[in-house]
Amino acid sequence: MSDSDAEGAQFIHIVAGPTGVGTGAAATGLARATGAPIVVADRIQCFTDLATTSARSEGEAAGVERVWLARRTVADGDFSAADALESLIATLRALGERHPLLIVEGGSISLLWDFAELLPELGFRATVRLSRIGDRQEYVARLTHRARRMLAPEGPEASTLEELAIAWKNVDQRSFVASVNGFEAILEWCATHSVAVESLASAALSEEQVDELARMIAIRHAEHGVLQDRIFSMVFDAFEPLATP
């Protein structure tokens, strides 16, 4: 891209990182400081019936415009990386007509990998803020606390157990449901303890059982987070770092 082309290019800030390292809070803070909308580059947060499990509900913030790539339910099936990438680009183009600056926040490996590879030909000017894991024990502890909130959320939203019990009724989509981070750990727990998935919404779990589930979910999230950490550090290594506003 020439200097003259760069001057007229759409400017985007990418806030990326593994699950549970605070990318949502960082993007929200940046949005409040700049007035820019946030485009959520996450394939699972597009599912309105997985709001707690995908942490979609945690992203809601007053005074901040957050835009998801689609509005889907589990019955619609998986949201492919190719379709998500197409939606991400189209969303950025449309929002760019009204906003000089956009924020892309996310942790979807396949989506951000493909997006980063295409950036040079898309004509966007991009800076990156990459959050890293740091101490592994502290990371797992944070994820365990987060998983416990998902298992027993405060407020009216459904718990991740209730979301799984409802999603599991979509028999044709069970392979997709089982692939969702967090759900696979719960399904393993159900198989180990001979608990019917359909009964999760009404199950009276003991504190010990909730603790065990939270730990299993956290470990699975941590395994995925380590992979995100390694891949994002490679994908975004050559990008200009985002200066703190």
Side-chain angles (χ1 to χ4, degrees):
M1 184 188 305
S2 67
D3 291 341
S4 59
D5 289 338
E7 288 178 2
Q10 177 67 51
F11 206 164
I12 61 173
H13 290 328
I14 300 172
V15 181
T19 299
V21 295
T23 54
T28 296
L30 184 60
R32 287 194 168 127
T34 62
I38 299 170
V39 179
V40 183
D42 188 294
R43 292 163 54 203
I44 302 302
Q45 285 193 15
C46 293
F47 290 84
T48 58
D49 47 356
L50 302 181
T52 299
T53 300
S54 68
R56 176 188 174 113
S57 58
E58 294 180 6
E60 302 288 354
V64 173
E65 182 182 359
R66 224 176 199 94
V67 181
W68 284 271
L69 301 182
R71 184 179 179 85
R72 299 173 68 89
T73 64
V74 170
D76 296 319
D78 195 7
F79 189 30
S80 73
D83 288 343
L85 178 61
E86 182 179 346
S87 180
L88 173 58
I89 295 170
T91 301
L92 292 174
R93 297 284 193 213
L95 287 173
E97 296 179 359
R98 297 185 286 113
H99 300 278
L101 171 66
L102 302 171
I103 299 167
V104 173
E105 170 223 327
S108 178
I109 293 175
S110 55
L111 175 55
L112 289 180
W113 184 313
D114 292 345
F115 181 59
E117 286 191 333
L118 278 180
L119 268 174
E121 60 188 79
L122 290 174
F124 297 128
R125 297 173 60 196
T127 57
V128 175
R129 171 172 175 167
L130 181 59
S131 299
R132 305 297 301 274
I133 286 177
D135 183 85
R136 295 283 182 86
Q137 288 187 331
E138 291 182 3
Y139 181 53
V140 173
R142 289 198 307 272
L143 289 175
T144 303
H145 179 68
R146 181 174 179 259
R148 229 186 180 289
R149 289 202 317 270
M150 290 178 171
L151 291 167
E154 297 179 359
E157 62 265 26
S159 72
T160 194
L161 295 179
E162 291 169 328
E163 289 180 347
L164 173 55
I166 294 171
W168 201 245
K169 295 178 181 178
N170 295 277
V171 177
D172 292 341
Q173 302 299 342
R174 284 184 176 178
S175 293
F176 163 57
V177 172
S179 72
V180 174
N181 280 335
F183 280 174
E184 78 276 41
I186 300 173
L187 291 169
E188 180 183 338
W189 183 89
C190 287
T192 300
H193 296 280
S194 299
V195 174
V197 179
E198 296 83 355
S199 71
L200 283 172
S202 59
L205 301 180
S206 68
E207 285 296 309
E208 291 77 12
Q209 289 174 316
V210 173
D211 286 342
E212 182 183 8
L213 267 172
R215 180 71 178 178
M216 290 178 67
I217 293 170
I219 289 173
R220 290 298 181 86
H221 275 302
E223 291 170 351
H224 183 65
V226 169
L227 180 62
Q228 290 172 299
D229 192 64
R230 184 168 66 250
I231 291 178
F232 291 152
S233 66
M234 295 187 297
V235 168
F236 295 113
D237 179 62
F239 283 75
E240 178 185 350
L242 169 62
T244 303

